[in-house]
């Protein structure tokens, strides 16, 4: 390794992209009864793969939000107390014709 610092984004970006494309992108309409299963599938896959594949050992938390495109606004914020050199947060956003998907991953050092 050339001294470059490995970030949570390095580990999480392709994993989030894969999980969202697998469970979210193909949905062509908003069906409220299907959303809990989609959210659960995405978050479970992200945490499972990060735990197995990430370059740095961390504890992971994945928070998934799916919103119907209905013209309403959405604003969220989170606040954490952590160790800035080793802990971080990564946000992945995607959308299709009818919905938005926001995946927030927290990586906390062991």
């Amino acid at each position: 390794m050339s001294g470059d610092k490995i970030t949570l984004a390095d580990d999480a970006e392709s994993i989030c992209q894969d999980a969202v494309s697998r469970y979210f992108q193909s949905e062509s309409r908003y069906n409220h009864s299907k959303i809990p299963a989609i959210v659960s599938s995405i978050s479970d896959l992200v945490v499972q793969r990060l735990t197995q594949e990430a370059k740095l050992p961390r504890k992971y938390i994945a928070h998934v939000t799916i919103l119907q495109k209905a013209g309403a606004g959405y604003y969220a914020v989170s606040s954490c107390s952590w160790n800035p050199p080793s802990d971080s947060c990564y946000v992945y956003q995607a959308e299709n014709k009818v919905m938005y998907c926001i995946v927030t991953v927290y990586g906390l050092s062991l």
Side-chain angles (χ1 to χ4, degrees):
M1 193 145 113
S2 64
D4 293 337
K5 183 178 177 184
I6 298 170
T7 67
L8 180 57
D10 295 331
D11 287 331
E13 182 176 20
S14 64
I15 292 172
C16 288
Q17 186 176 27
D18 178 54
V20 169
S21 67
R22 186 180 299 186
Y23 296 108
F24 171 78
Q25 291 294 356
S26 62
E27 293 297 316
S28 60
R29 45 176 256 159
Y30 183 87
N31 184 340
H32 181 72
S33 64
K34 292 176 75 174
I35 298 302
I38 296 169
V39 167
S40 181
S41 295
I42 292 170
S43 62
D44 289 348
L45 182 59
V46 167
V47 171
Q48 177 187 35
R49 286 197 47 203
L50 280 169
T51 301
Q52 295 171 352
E53 301 172 20
K55 294 171 186 74
L56 292 176
R58 293 180 170 141
K59 293 181 182 179
Y60 295 99
I61 300 165
H63 180 264
V64 180
T65 303
I66 294 180
L67 302 163
Q68 182 178 16
K69 286 185 177 179
Y74 175 77
Y75 180 80
V77 67
S78 61
S79 179
C80 302
S81 174
W82 59 23
N83 184 3
S86 61
D87 302 339
S88 63
C89 176
Y90 172 75
V91 178
Y92 179 82
Q93 300 173 23
E95 66 180 274
N96 60 25
K97 291 182 179 183
V98 294
M99 297 179 280
Y100 299 101
C101 181
I102 304 162
V103 181
T104 306
V105 179
Y106 300 93
L108 309 170
S109 62
L110 297 174

